[in-house]
Structure formats: C-alpha cells, structure tokens
Amino acid sequence: MINFSVPNLFFATATEADKAPLVLTGVLLTLAIIYITSKLGGELSRLVNLPPVLGELVGGVIVGVSALNLVVFPETSEASSSQIMNFLQFFTPMNPEFLSEIFASQSEVISVLAELGVVVLLFEIGLESDLRELKSVGSQAAIVAVVGVVAPFALGTVGLIYFFHFPTIPAIFAGAALTATSIGITSKVLSELGYLKAKEGQIIVGAAVIDDVLGIIVLAVVASLAKTGEVNLTQVILLIVSASAFLIGSILLGKFFNQSFMAIADKLKTRGNLVIPAFTFALLMAFLANVIHLEAILGAFAAGLVLDETDKRKELDKQVIPIADVIVPVFFVTVGARVDLSVLNPLIPENRAGLAIASFLIVVAIIGKVITGWAVFGQPNINRLAIGIGMIPRGEVGLVFAGIGSTSGVLSKPLEAAIIIMVILTTFLAPPLLKLVLKKPETEVSTTDNSLKELTSTK
C-alpha cells in the first residue's frame, strides 16, 4: 500500500479548524474518483453490448475495498487503509484519532449522497413505469409477475435457512433480493430482436413493470423488518398493508395532485419551474414514507408513478435524466466499493461457504424466474422459455436490494458478495440466452419477405 505521509517538517499538523476543509477535500476527491470510475466502467460495458450499470458496479469493486482502497468505508476498512486519507496526509499530517474523524465524516457524506442517489433512481423508475401499460397487459402479466416474486423469494429464503443455517432476517432479505427484474435490460434486448410488440414481449415487459411494483413493496417490508431485528407476523401484515395502501393511495390521489402540480409549474417562470416542484414532491413523499416506517425509496417510486400521469411527463423525463446521471452513479459505485470479494477466495477454507451461497443463489435466481413462463395460461403456441428467461436479469433493481441490505448491516460479507455476484451473472446471462431462444416474429419475417419480393419485382 502506498503511504503518502511525510514528516511534519514540511507541513503543519492538522488542527480542529482544518476538519471541515479536510472533509470537503476528501469528499471532492472521492466524487471525482467515483465519476471517473462510473464513466470508464459504463463505456467499457457499452463497447461489449452490456448494460453500463454493470460497468459502474465492477468499477466500484475495483476502486473499493476489494482492490485499490480508493473508495472505502469505516464498516469495512480502517482510516489508514484509505488511499485518499493517506493522500491527504501528504499535505496535512494528522494523528490517528483525527484521521479517523476525517475518514468517518467524509464517508458519511458519500453514504448520504449514495442514499440520495437511490431515491432519485427509484423516482426515475417510477416515471418510466407506465400505469396505462400496466392496465393493458391484463392478468397474464400479473400472474407471471406474482410467480416471479413468490417462487425465488420462497426458494431462496427457505434454502438459506435450511441448507446454510442463516438467521431468519438475513435469509428473508437475500430472498427478497432474488425477486427483482430489470425492465431496462429486458426491454432493450426485446427491442433489438424486434420482439417488443410480440405477445411474449408484451407479457415480459408488463410482468417486469408489475414485478418492480411488487419488488418495491417487498423491499419496504424486509428493510423495515431489518430495523426492528425481529420477525412478527402481525407487523409483517401491517407493513404489507401500509406499503400497499401508501402506493395505491398515492396513485389514486395522484389525479387530484396532478392538477395542482400543473397549475404550479405553469405559474412559475424561473428556471426549474417543472423539475424543482417534481423533486420537491418526490422528497416529501420519500419523507412521508420514512415517517410511517417504510423506506424512503417507496415514496420516491410512488411520486414517479403519480407524475407519470401528468401532461408534461415527457418534458419532465428529459429534465430528470441529467440529474440522475449525476447522482445515481454514486450509489452504484459505492455498492460495488463496499463489496469485499476476498470472502469468496476459494483458497481460504472459511470462504468456501460464501462460494456455495453464491452458487445456490444463482441457481435459485434462474429457476425461480424461468418457471414463470409456465404460469401463462390459454396461450398454447407461446414461447414460455423466452418469457421465463426474459424475467431473469436483476440489473439495477437487484443492486438496490443489495445496497439497502449493506447499509442496514443485515447482510454478512459472504452473503452480500454472493448477492452482488448473482446480480452480475443473471444480468450477463439473460441477453445472450434471450437471443438464443427467440426468433424473429412471424409478422416481421413476413413483412420483410414481402418487401424483398416487391423490391425484386420492381427490379
């Protein structure tokens, strides 16, 4: 490890008055590293036709505790192991106690920014989740979504308790992480294959949208359980009811709110007349969810669903994207940075349990989604395997679960790393598998054939 410390002969020793400037310096340098990492990782992923979010995650692992120790946190590392803290020592020597204070404060700021990033992310996901599309896909997508949540959750939770003897709450949290489905990854692949408007494509995308709603409710429930440290059936039912009522109530009241929102946005004439009221609403909804012991992200997601119904939804989408581009990468990179992959080193005997956990979660993650294709009824000629595979990728939604579990302290290092590996592998596997099991829709093929015939006859 590089040691940047120098004798006090050249630089004055830090005092209490230097604390705020040193914390700010550490935060600025950490953010610069995070943004460089996110862009490099995202661009490299794009070059190999993979989701950029995977590059951000892997980049976070590289700059984090698993490798370079540039972005590290007190729960995984000592202050002296942080290369940024050692770099600060080069300019302003600090005693160990003062260095630890600076490290803790700087890490807390980055953690808060990461939490704000996930709030913005869920607000953006809510804006992209079209309620009209939810209503049009009908019961087929709903059944696929429910099976896709219940099957992996039950298999994962029971398996971790029975085979690996995990405590109930960590097992429930890991099981919940298996329920997610990435809308963005699946829909992109379907679009590239020309299958987005086919029957299979409509069911997959509709189920993924419903899956997101169910997943957010599940996350709100398990995260709230993690805070109390115990499982109480009455409390679980109360949380499910309150989460559902909060989400449904927000959507129903949204029709009345939308009119007020549009009136406010139209009257404001300065910059941010649309996006500032929107984010204010999202933050207030996140605050309200937190107050009633749900997760802030549920409130942000509900706010996105509500504002999706406004007349200025497309304009709002465009204005939210650059804000998400700035703050969301902080969440993904820090999630990767917190993961200590050394716990999965097979050469260390005590780590072999972590590898077994990861292998188990990957198998459950795939089986739990593939079987959803056989939940479709009344469609004898439908490609059931394609539907199941289309539900496999966890993507950014799975990372949200891992991030919340990590920051709450519920997940052990092996279990957290196993979940991250499961998210990465399922996201990597789904696109090539979908391409393998899907062919060009018949309508598209016939249209192409007719076009060729017309072109030939013209010649």
Side-chain angles (χ1 to χ4, degrees):
M1 181 179 292
I2 301 171
N3 191 341
F4 291 102
S5 62
V6 295
N8 292 2
L9 176 65
F10 298 102
F11 299 101
T13 304
T15 63
E16 192 66 30
D18 297 317
K19 185 173 182 179
L22 284 170
V23 170
L24 178 60
T25 303
V27 168
L28 294 175
L29 187 55
T30 303
L31 286 175
I33 291 169
I34 286 173
Y35 287 130
I36 292 170
T37 301
S38 70
K39 290 313 296 175
L40 285 176
E43 290 299 319
L44 289 173
S45 291
R46 187 188 63 82
L47 288 175
V48 292
N49 294 318
L50 291 171
V53 68
L54 281 180
E56 294 179 0
L57 175 65
V58 174
V61 172
I62 293 171
V63 299
V65 67
S66 293
L68 300 180
N69 286 292
L70 288 167
V71 181
V72 291
F73 298 87
E75 58 266 28
T76 57
S77 306
E78 299 290 335
S80 58
S81 67
S82 168
Q83 294 293 1
I84 288 180
M85 291 298 105
N86 289 332
F87 184 75
L88 292 181
Q89 283 269 43
F90 180 81
F91 298 101
T92 310
M94 294 172 269
N95 61 52
E97 292 78 13
F98 193 72
L99 181 68
S100 296
E101 289 181 19
I102 298 297
F103 179 51
S105 299
Q106 173 252 339
S107 299
E108 186 176 355
V109 173
I110 297 299
S111 296
V112 170
L113 289 174
E115 289 296 318
L116 184 58
V118 75
V119 167
V120 174
L121 173 63
L122 267 294
F123 178 55
E124 186 181 24
I125 290 175
L127 283 173
E128 294 173 357
S129 302
D130 194 338
L131 283 175
R132 290 178 291 273
E133 186 178 348
L134 274 176
K135 295 173 185 176
S136 67
V137 292
S139 57
Q140 300 282 0
I143 292 173
V144 169
V146 170
V147 173
V149 168
V150 173
F153 177 76
L155 289 172
T157 302
V158 173
L160 288 172
I161 294 173
Y162 183 78
F163 295 112
F164 299 97
H165 311 291
F166 272 96
T168 305
I169 289 179
I172 288 175
F173 214 108
L178 295 168
T179 64
T181 296
S182 173
I183 298 176
I185 294 167
T186 300
S187 59
K188 181 182 178 183
V189 175
L190 290 170
S191 178
E192 289 174 350
L193 295 175
Y195 234 90
L196 195 58
K197 293 185 178 180
K199 194 171 294 182
E200 289 87 350
Q202 290 177 345
I203 292 175
I204 291 171
V205 173
V209 172
I210 299 171
D211 203 325
D212 258 3
V213 176
L214 296 176
I216 296 303
I217 293 174
V218 170
L219 178 58
V221 171
V222 297
S224 299
L225 289 176
K227 293 177 183 177
T228 63
E230 60 182 13
V231 179
N232 182 289
L233 185 58
T234 304
Q235 184 186 27
V236 170
I237 294 172
L238 183 63
L239 283 169
I240 292 173
V241 171
S242 60
S244 303
F246 179 82
L247 195 58
I248 295 170
S250 300
I251 294 169
L252 294 176
L253 292 174
K255 294 180 180 179
F256 302 99
F257 171 80
N258 283 338
Q259 297 175 356
S260 302
F261 174 78
M262 293 301 298
I264 293 171
D266 289 336
K267 287 183 179 179
L268 297 175
K269 302 302 178 184
T270 54
R271 282 178 54 178
N273 64 310
L274 182 62
V275 72
I276 294 298
F279 265 102
T280 301
F281 176 59
L283 293 174
L284 288 174
M285 290 288 283
F287 164 77
L288 181 60
N290 236 9
V291 166
I292 61 176
H293 304 294
L294 298 173
E295 282 299 301
I297 57 173
L298 182 63
F301 182 73
L305 286 177
V306 169
L307 294 181
D308 176 63
E309 297 294 293
T310 62
D311 294 335
K312 294 188 177 181
R313 178 240 176 173
K314 290 184 179 180
E315 185 180 347
L316 181 58
D317 276 344
K318 291 179 181 178
Q319 294 186 22
V320 168
I321 287 172
I323 297 173
D325 288 343
V326 170
I327 192 67
V328 173
V330 180
F331 171 72
F332 287 123
V333 174
T334 55
V335 166
R338 291 177 188 271
V339 176
D340 186 0
L341 293 182
S342 65
V343 299
L344 296 178
N345 183 356
L347 299 178
I348 303 174
E350 56 266 29
N351 287 349
R352 289 167 191 161
L355 286 172
I357 296 167
S359 301
F360 170 76
L361 289 182
I362 291 165
V363 171
V364 170
I366 294 173
I367 293 175
K369 293 295 186 180
V370 168
I371 62 174
T372 60
W374 280 263
V376 178
F377 60 92
Q379 303 287 342
N381 298 321
I382 203 163
N383 191 334
R384 299 177 187 277
L385 183 58
I387 292 173
I389 291 175
M391 298 291 289
I392 286 177
R394 268 53 177 189
E396 65 280 357
V397 185
L399 297 182
V400 171
F401 280 83
I404 298 294
S406 172
T407 54
S408 66
V410 171
L411 302 176
S412 63
K413 284 187 177 181
L415 187 55
E416 179 188 348
I419 291 173
I420 294 292
I421 289 174
M422 178 274 296
V423 170
I424 292 173
L425 285 181
T426 55
T427 307
F428 268 90
L429 283 172
L433 287 178
L434 262 180
K435 291 177 183 177
L436 187 65
V437 300
L438 283 177
K439 298 178 181 178
K440 291 284 185 180
E442 290 183 9
T443 54
E444 185 176 324
V445 172
S446 60
T447 302
T448 305
D449 290 342
N450 290 335
S451 300
L452 289 172
K453 288 177 182 177
E454 289 175 7
L455 184 62
T456 305
S457 61
T458 302
K459 288 183 178 179

